[in-house]
Amino acid sequence: MNTQKLRMPIDITMTLLSIILMGGTVLFPDDRVHQVLGMMLLVLWICHTALNHRWYGSLLRGKYQPYRIMQIVVNLALSACALLLLVSGLMMAWFFPFDVGEGLGFARTAHLVSSHWYYLFMCAHLGMHAAMILGKMTKGRKLPLPATVISILVCLYGVYAFIIRGIAKYMFLRQEFFFIDLERGYLLFAADYLSILVLIASVSHWLGKGLLALGKKKTEVHED
């Protein structure tokens, strides 16, 4: 079975769902909409993992070059955040059959923190595959100068969005409750988080390229 045709639609849908879900329950009149979308993301996450199961099987084989270490750290951290999101989300879900009692406070805190770490690791994960994604979109051609300039401007705006949205406050629990300034509007919310995605993915992409070059240089020195 050719799984390549499944990967791109699944990854795109997961990315869009992640951006929507970062709005928490504020974006929906009914909390259950957020929970259903979260379950949909979980199903897609399982599909994504199944399609890439060979990567997990290769963890104990081969050399650990700098780029590979970065890839493993990002992927395992992303998986850990997804697992914590799953557990904390189920504890708060309306269909969860058990009374968690005081554990509900922990679930809310864990969900808030892990969701923001998950988003950033997801962006970094996408950045490490940016060359492949852009290659498919441009069919191997270089990006034109206007597109490069636009991407730089989006990254600069991403820095502003990261700060104005208080992402670091949620990551390190300096703010315990999620807040959206509704006066800024939903479209601007999506644009902010999309620009943050481009920013983190770009940093991850160029850091990965640097580590690949470093690993190649070390290999050449060792062979000499």
Side-chain angles (χ1 to χ4, degrees):
M1 179 181 177
N2 184 8
T3 61
Q4 293 299 325
K5 294 182 178 180
L6 295 175
R7 295 174 189 268
M8 187 65 74
I10 288 177
D11 292 348
I12 292 174
T13 305
M14 288 177 68
T15 303
L16 293 176
L17 278 176
S18 296
I19 294 175
I20 294 172
L21 288 167
M22 288 306 295
T25 57
V26 181
L27 296 181
F28 311 103
D30 191 332
D31 291 355
R32 288 176 292 185
V33 176
H34 180 86
Q35 295 173 14
V36 169
L37 292 179
M39 292 298 103
M40 289 174 59
L41 181 59
L42 170 63
V43 172
L44 292 175
W45 176 260
I46 293 173
C47 294
H48 177 87
T49 303
L51 290 173
N52 295 277
H53 68 280
R54 292 182 180 179
W55 181 85
Y56 291 94
S58 68
L59 286 176
L60 300 179
R61 299 195 299 269
K63 296 181 180 180
Y64 281 80
Q65 299 287 1
Y67 176 81
R68 190 184 183 198
I69 294 174
M70 175 185 172
Q71 185 184 54
I72 290 173
V73 169
V74 169
N75 289 351
L76 293 185
L78 181 59
S79 298
C81 290
L83 181 60
L84 187 55
L85 277 172
L86 166 63
V87 173
S88 58
L90 285 175
M91 290 174 67
M92 295 185 292
W94 89 91
F95 55 81
F96 194 62
F98 305 105
D99 182 10
V100 297
E102 295 181 357
L104 186 61
F106 164 79
R108 287 173 176 165
T109 300
H111 207 72
L112 177 67
V113 175
S114 59
S115 63
H116 286 81
W117 280 104
Y118 170 87
Y119 190 75
L120 293 190
F121 281 123
M122 181 201 74
C123 297
H125 176 80
L126 289 174
M128 299 186 76
H129 294 83
M132 179 186 66
I133 296 171
L134 289 174
K136 290 182 178 180
M137 294 174 62
T138 62
K139 297 182 179 180
R141 295 189 296 270
K142 290 185 178 180
L143 282 176
L145 181 60
T148 302
V149 173
I150 291 173
S151 65
I152 293 174
L153 293 176
V154 171
C155 287
L156 292 175
Y157 181 79
V159 175
Y160 166 78
F162 187 94
I163 296 171
I164 200 68
R165 292 291 177 179
I167 304 298
K169 293 181 180 179
Y170 301 125
M171 291 170 61
F172 299 102
L173 203 58
R174 291 169 55 197
Q175 183 166 315
E176 299 183 6
F177 299 96
F178 186 67
F179 170 77
I180 291 183
D181 185 357
L182 295 178
E183 292 183 359
R184 291 174 62 85
Y186 296 128
L187 290 179
L188 188 54
F189 164 82
D192 285 353
Y193 274 85
L194 185 58
S195 66
I196 293 171
L197 186 154
V198 174
L199 168 66
I200 302 301
S202 298
V203 171
S204 173
H205 171 69
W206 289 107
L207 178 59
K209 290 191 70 172
L211 292 178
L212 277 173
L214 178 62
K216 184 178 180 181
K217 184 176 180 180
K218 286 185 176 180
T219 301
E220 291 175 348
V221 171
H222 181 73
E223 289 178 350
D224 292 341

